[in-house]
Short mmCIF file of all heavy atoms in Angstrom, two decimals:
data_model
loop_
_atom_site.label_atom_id
_atom_site.label_comp_id
_atom_site.label_asym_id
_atom_site.label_seq_id
_atom_site.Cartn_x
_atom_site.Cartn_y
_atom_site.Cartn_z
N VAL A 5 110.94 111.33 118.38
CA VAL A 5 109.72 110.59 118.67
C VAL A 5 109.97 109.60 119.81
O VAL A 5 110.97 108.88 119.78
CB VAL A 5 109.22 109.82 117.42
CG1 VAL A 5 108.01 108.95 117.77
CG2 VAL A 5 108.87 110.80 116.30
N ARG A 25 103.75 98.70 111.27
CA ARG A 25 104.00 99.71 110.24
C ARG A 25 104.50 100.94 111.00
O ARG A 25 103.83 101.96 111.11
CB ARG A 25 102.71 100.00 109.45
CG ARG A 25 102.91 100.89 108.23
CD ARG A 25 101.60 101.20 107.53
NE ARG A 25 101.19 100.18 106.59
CZ ARG A 25 100.26 99.26 106.82
NH1 ARG A 25 99.64 99.23 107.99
NH2 ARG A 25 99.93 98.37 105.90
N LEU A 26 105.71 100.81 111.54
CA LEU A 26 106.25 101.81 112.46
C LEU A 26 107.54 102.45 111.97
O LEU A 26 108.21 103.15 112.73
CB LEU A 26 106.50 101.17 113.84
CG LEU A 26 105.25 100.86 114.68
CD1 LEU A 26 105.60 99.99 115.87
CD2 LEU A 26 104.59 102.16 115.14
N THR A 27 107.89 102.22 110.72
CA THR A 27 109.09 102.81 110.14
C THR A 27 108.70 103.98 109.24
O THR A 27 107.85 103.82 108.37
CB THR A 27 109.88 101.77 109.33
OG1 THR A 27 110.24 100.69 110.19
CG2 THR A 27 111.14 102.38 108.73
N PRO A 28 109.27 105.17 109.44
CA PRO A 28 108.91 106.31 108.60
C PRO A 28 109.06 106.03 107.12
O PRO A 28 109.97 105.32 106.69
CB PRO A 28 109.89 107.40 109.07
CG PRO A 28 110.20 107.05 110.48
CD PRO A 28 110.24 105.54 110.49
N SER A 29 108.16 106.60 106.33
CA SER A 29 108.19 106.43 104.88
C SER A 29 109.49 106.97 104.29
O SER A 29 110.07 107.93 104.80
CB SER A 29 107.02 107.17 104.24
OG SER A 29 105.78 106.74 104.76
N THR A 30 109.93 106.34 103.22
CA THR A 30 111.07 106.83 102.46
C THR A 30 110.54 107.78 101.38
O THR A 30 109.94 107.35 100.40
CB THR A 30 111.84 105.67 101.81
OG1 THR A 30 112.31 104.78 102.83
CG2 THR A 30 113.03 106.18 101.02
N CYS A 31 110.71 109.07 101.59
CA CYS A 31 110.17 110.06 100.67
C CYS A 31 110.86 111.39 100.89
O CYS A 31 111.56 111.59 101.89
CB CYS A 31 108.65 110.21 100.87
SG CYS A 31 108.18 110.72 102.53
N GLN A 34 111.38 113.96 104.51
CA GLN A 34 111.76 113.36 105.79
C GLN A 34 112.91 112.39 105.60
O GLN A 34 112.93 111.61 104.65
CB GLN A 34 110.58 112.68 106.47
CG GLN A 34 109.90 111.57 105.72
CD GLN A 34 108.68 111.03 106.46
OE1 GLN A 34 107.85 111.77 107.00
NE2 GLN A 34 108.56 109.71 106.51
N ARG A 35 113.90 112.49 106.49
CA ARG A 35 115.09 111.64 106.45
C ARG A 35 115.36 111.11 107.85
O ARG A 35 115.50 111.89 108.80
CB ARG A 35 116.29 112.44 105.95
CG ARG A 35 117.58 111.64 105.84
CD ARG A 35 118.65 112.43 105.11
NE ARG A 35 119.09 113.58 105.90
CZ ARG A 35 120.16 113.57 106.71
NH1 ARG A 35 120.87 112.45 106.87
NH2 ARG A 35 120.51 114.66 107.36
N VAL A 36 115.39 109.79 107.97
CA VAL A 36 115.58 109.17 109.28
C VAL A 36 117.04 109.31 109.70
O VAL A 36 117.96 108.92 108.97
CB VAL A 36 115.19 107.68 109.24
CG1 VAL A 36 115.54 107.01 110.57
CG2 VAL A 36 113.69 107.54 108.95
N LEU A 37 117.26 109.88 110.88
CA LEU A 37 118.60 110.00 111.45
C LEU A 37 118.88 108.85 112.41
O LEU A 37 119.97 108.28 112.41
CB LEU A 37 118.74 111.34 112.17
CG LEU A 37 118.47 112.60 111.32
CD1 LEU A 37 118.57 113.84 112.18
CD2 LEU A 37 119.43 112.66 110.15
N GLU A 38 117.91 108.53 113.22
CA GLU A 38 117.98 107.38 114.13
C GLU A 38 116.57 106.82 114.27
O GLU A 38 115.60 107.57 114.30
CB GLU A 38 118.48 107.79 115.52
CG GLU A 38 119.87 108.40 115.57
CD GLU A 38 120.21 108.89 116.97
OE1 GLU A 38 119.57 108.43 117.94
OE2 GLU A 38 121.10 109.74 117.09
N TRP A 39 116.45 105.50 114.35
CA TRP A 39 115.11 104.91 114.52
C TRP A 39 115.25 103.49 115.06
O TRP A 39 116.04 102.70 114.53
CB TRP A 39 114.35 104.88 113.20
CG TRP A 39 112.87 104.75 113.40
CD1 TRP A 39 112.11 103.62 113.36
CD2 TRP A 39 111.97 105.83 113.69
NE1 TRP A 39 110.81 103.91 113.59
CE2 TRP A 39 110.68 105.26 113.80
CE3 TRP A 39 112.14 107.20 113.87
CZ2 TRP A 39 109.56 106.04 114.08
CZ3 TRP A 39 111.02 107.97 114.15
CH2 TRP A 39 109.75 107.39 114.25
N ALA A 40 114.53 103.18 116.10
CA ALA A 40 114.59 101.84 116.68
C ALA A 40 113.22 101.46 117.22
O ALA A 40 112.53 102.28 117.85
CB ALA A 40 115.63 101.77 117.80
N VAL A 41 112.82 100.23 116.97
CA VAL A 41 111.58 99.67 117.50
C VAL A 41 111.96 98.44 118.32
O VAL A 41 112.64 97.54 117.84
CB VAL A 41 110.61 99.26 116.37
CG1 VAL A 41 109.34 98.65 116.97
CG2 VAL A 41 110.27 100.45 115.49
N ARG A 53 108.46 95.37 102.06
CA ARG A 53 107.82 96.62 101.66
C ARG A 53 106.58 96.28 100.83
O ARG A 53 106.68 95.57 99.83
CB ARG A 53 108.79 97.50 100.85
CG ARG A 53 108.28 98.93 100.67
CD ARG A 53 109.36 99.83 100.09
NE ARG A 53 110.56 99.89 100.91
CZ ARG A 53 110.68 100.64 102.01
NH1 ARG A 53 109.66 101.39 102.41
NH2 ARG A 53 111.80 100.66 102.70
N GLY A 57 104.23 100.94 99.46
CA GLY A 57 105.53 101.51 99.79
C GLY A 57 105.84 101.55 101.27
O GLY A 57 106.85 102.15 101.67
N ASP A 58 105.03 100.91 102.10
CA ASP A 58 105.23 100.92 103.55
C ASP A 58 106.08 99.73 103.98
O ASP A 58 105.95 98.62 103.43
CB ASP A 58 103.89 100.87 104.30
CG ASP A 58 102.99 102.02 103.92
OD1 ASP A 58 103.52 103.08 103.51
OD2 ASP A 58 101.76 101.87 104.02
N TRP A 59 106.93 99.94 104.98
CA TRP A 59 107.76 98.87 105.51
C TRP A 59 107.01 98.13 106.61
O TRP A 59 106.59 98.72 107.59
CB TRP A 59 109.08 99.40 106.05
CG TRP A 59 110.04 98.31 106.43
CD1 TRP A 59 110.35 97.91 107.69
CD2 TRP A 59 110.78 97.46 105.54
NE1 TRP A 59 111.26 96.86 107.65
CE2 TRP A 59 111.53 96.57 106.33
CE3 TRP A 59 110.88 97.38 104.15
CZ2 TRP A 59 112.37 95.61 105.80
CZ3 TRP A 59 111.72 96.42 103.60
CH2 TRP A 59 112.46 95.55 104.42
N VAL A 76 108.99 102.84 120.42
CA VAL A 76 109.52 103.44 119.20
C VAL A 76 110.24 104.72 119.59
O VAL A 76 109.65 105.61 120.20
CB VAL A 76 108.39 103.77 118.20
CG1 VAL A 76 108.97 104.35 116.91
CG2 VAL A 76 107.55 102.54 117.91
N GLY A 78 113.21 107.63 118.01
CA GLY A 78 114.04 108.01 116.87
C GLY A 78 114.07 109.50 116.63
O GLY A 78 113.42 110.29 117.32
N ARG A 79 114.87 109.87 115.62
CA ARG A 79 115.00 111.26 115.18
C ARG A 79 114.84 111.30 113.67
O ARG A 79 115.41 110.48 112.95
CB ARG A 79 116.36 111.85 115.56
CG ARG A 79 116.60 112.03 117.04
CD ARG A 79 117.86 112.86 117.27
NE ARG A 79 119.02 112.29 116.59
CZ ARG A 79 119.94 113.01 115.97
NH1 ARG A 79 119.84 114.34 115.91
NH2 ARG A 79 120.98 112.42 115.37
N VAL A 80 114.08 112.28 113.21
CA VAL A 80 113.83 112.43 111.77
C VAL A 80 114.00 113.89 111.39
O VAL A 80 113.48 114.79 112.06
CB VAL A 80 112.40 111.97 111.41
CG1 VAL A 80 112.15 112.13 109.92
CG2 VAL A 80 112.17 110.52 111.83
N HIS A 92 108.28 109.00 96.79
CA HIS A 92 107.78 107.81 97.48
C HIS A 92 107.46 106.74 96.44
O HIS A 92 106.59 106.91 95.60
CB HIS A 92 106.53 108.15 98.28
CG HIS A 92 106.01 107.03 99.12
ND1 HIS A 92 104.90 106.30 98.79
CD2 HIS A 92 106.47 106.51 100.28
CE1 HIS A 92 104.68 105.38 99.72
NE2 HIS A 92 105.63 105.49 100.62
N SER A 188 98.81 107.33 108.59
CA SER A 188 99.17 107.35 110.01
C SER A 188 100.56 107.94 110.16
O SER A 188 101.42 107.80 109.27
CB SER A 188 99.13 105.94 110.60
OG SER A 188 100.05 105.10 109.93
N TYR A 190 103.02 110.96 112.86
CA TYR A 190 103.22 111.77 114.07
C TYR A 190 103.15 113.24 113.71
O TYR A 190 103.42 113.64 112.57
CB TYR A 190 104.59 111.47 114.69
CG TYR A 190 104.81 110.03 115.07
CD1 TYR A 190 105.65 109.22 114.32
CD2 TYR A 190 104.18 109.47 116.18
CE1 TYR A 190 105.87 107.90 114.67
CE2 TYR A 190 104.39 108.14 116.54
CZ TYR A 190 105.24 107.36 115.77
OH TYR A 190 105.44 106.04 116.11
N ILE A 232 105.51 113.58 110.53
CA ILE A 232 106.29 112.41 110.13
C ILE A 232 105.30 111.37 109.61
O ILE A 232 104.37 110.97 110.32
CB ILE A 232 107.09 111.81 111.31
CG1 ILE A 232 108.13 112.81 111.80
CG2 ILE A 232 107.78 110.51 110.87
CD1 ILE A 232 108.88 112.34 113.04
N ARG A 233 105.51 110.94 108.38
CA ARG A 233 104.61 109.97 107.75
C ARG A 233 105.11 108.55 107.98
O ARG A 233 106.27 108.24 107.72
CB ARG A 233 104.53 110.25 106.24
CG ARG A 233 103.53 109.40 105.48
CD ARG A 233 103.68 109.67 103.98
NE ARG A 233 102.59 109.09 103.19
CZ ARG A 233 102.52 107.82 102.81
NH1 ARG A 233 103.48 106.98 103.14
NH2 ARG A 233 101.50 107.40 102.08
N LEU A 234 104.21 107.67 108.46
CA LEU A 234 104.54 106.27 108.67
C LEU A 234 104.03 105.37 107.54
O LEU A 234 104.79 104.63 106.93
CB LEU A 234 103.98 105.76 110.00
CG LEU A 234 104.65 106.25 111.28
CD1 LEU A 234 103.94 105.66 112.50
CD2 LEU A 234 106.13 105.86 111.30
N GLY A 235 102.73 105.42 107.28
CA GLY A 235 102.16 104.54 106.27
C GLY A 235 100.73 104.90 105.94
O GLY A 235 100.16 105.82 106.51
#
Side-chain angles (χ1 to χ4, degrees):
V5 175
R25 188 183 276 102
L26 287 169
T27 301
S29 303
T30 301
C31 59
Q34 59 183 44
R35 181 170 68 94
V36 174
L37 303 177
E38 300 175 20
W39 200 263
V41 179
R53 193 170 301 280
D58 302 334
W59 188 255
V76 181
R79 293 191 305 140
V80 180
H92 185 256
S188 61
Y190 302 106
I232 296 175
R233 185 187 191 278
L234 287 179

